[in-house]
Amino acid sequence: CKGEFLAILNADVVLDKQWAAALLSALRSDEQIMSVSGTIYFPNGELQSTGGMMDKYGAVVQRESKIFHLRKIQTRSFFYNDGSSFMVRRKIFQETYFDPRLFLYYEDVDLSWKIRMLNYKVEHIPTAISYHDVGHSSSDITLSKFYHIARNRIYICQKNYSLKNIISRVPIMLFLMFLTSISYDLSKKP
């Protein structure tokens, strides 16, 4: 592609007619904004994402939405653009790009983190609407999904944190993930 801005979309996303115009307007309004996303709904109209938050141990949760049985958070700030539908400036994407080691999950978190570490903005525009047909009705998480989420969470934290934060946070993160794995194992039917 040759454009100044890139639209990154999952194959199962449908965009509102004004989605692109709303995100382009935000990007053009401030040269410091490098990535921007909108409000994402499930096809049935239920709110899916308005951007995500990440705690200091690398766990992520969606803002203002109860998705995948995660806790609900209501906050104006956020950390990353949901990777199902967002726009990014071509120049920053060429500099930061998607890490090829991240196969499934956390690539959107990592990209936003890298943009923020370069002191640029990652923004959310509520009026940019998209619909993402993700498998939200299933409460079951596959072993493969669990593995990729855990592995990528560890990877981006060790990659992006300072040595001090790795030493202080990663052991606790591993312990919390161990507890989560026990809970996951106990919840599986024999």
Side-chain angles (χ1 to χ4, degrees), residues 8 19 24 38 51 61 63 89 109 113 127 176:
I8 309 291
W19 181 85
L24 285 170
V61 65
R63 293 188 314 155
R89 288 183 191 275
V109 180
W113 195 343
T127 58
L176 294 171

Side-chain angles (χ1 to χ4, degrees), residues 37-184:
S37 65
T39 303
I40 304 165
Y41 292 96
F42 292 108
N44 68 4
E46 181 184 341
L47 181 63
Q48 185 182 129
S49 178
T50 58
M53 298 296 298
M54 184 181 84
D55 72 15
K56 65 183 180 179
Y57 303 113
V60 296
V61 65
Q62 299 297 312
R63 293 188 314 155
E64 301 181 43
S65 173
K66 189 162 184 184
I67 179 173
F68 304 120
H69 307 285
L70 296 175
R71 67 186 183 271
K72 184 175 180 177
I73 290 182
Q74 290 188 337
T75 179
R76 291 186 55 149
S77 65
F78 72 107
F79 186 69
Y80 69 95
N81 290 133
D82 184 287
S84 68
S85 54
F86 70 101
M87 276 193 188
V88 63
R89 288 183 191 275
R90 178 190 177 113
K91 68 179 182 180
I92 198 71
F93 191 72
Q94 288 175 321
E95 184 178 340
T96 57
Y97 59 87
F98 282 133
D99 188 324
R101 293 186 193 109
L102 293 171
F103 174 73
L104 296 174
Y105 314 111
Y106 274 82
E107 70 281 354
D108 47 1
V109 180
D110 183 56
L111 181 67
S112 293
W113 195 343
K114 289 186 287 191
I115 290 170
R116 288 180 179 283
M117 287 192 315
L118 293 170
N119 292 317
Y120 290 114
K121 296 177 185 176
V122 176
E123 295 289 336
H124 167 73
I125 306 303
T127 58
I129 307 296
S130 63
Y131 299 88
H132 184 205
D133 192 14
V134 68
H136 75 287
S137 61
S138 173
S139 63
D140 193 28
I141 183 170
T142 66
L143 184 58
S144 174
K145 182 176 181 176
F146 185 86
Y147 165 77
H148 281 99
I149 289 170
R151 181 194 72 162
N152 293 350
R153 177 178 168 184
I154 295 166
Y155 172 69
I156 71 162
C157 286
Q158 66 84 26
K159 178 178 100 164
N160 294 321
Y161 271 142
S162 66
L163 181 58
K164 177 183 173 186
N165 283 337
I166 290 172
I167 291 168
S168 67
R169 295 178 182 173
V170 170
I172 296 168
M173 176 180 66
L174 293 174
F175 177 71
L176 294 171
M177 291 172 67
F178 173 72
L179 293 178
T180 303
S181 69
I182 290 172
S183 173
Y184 169 77

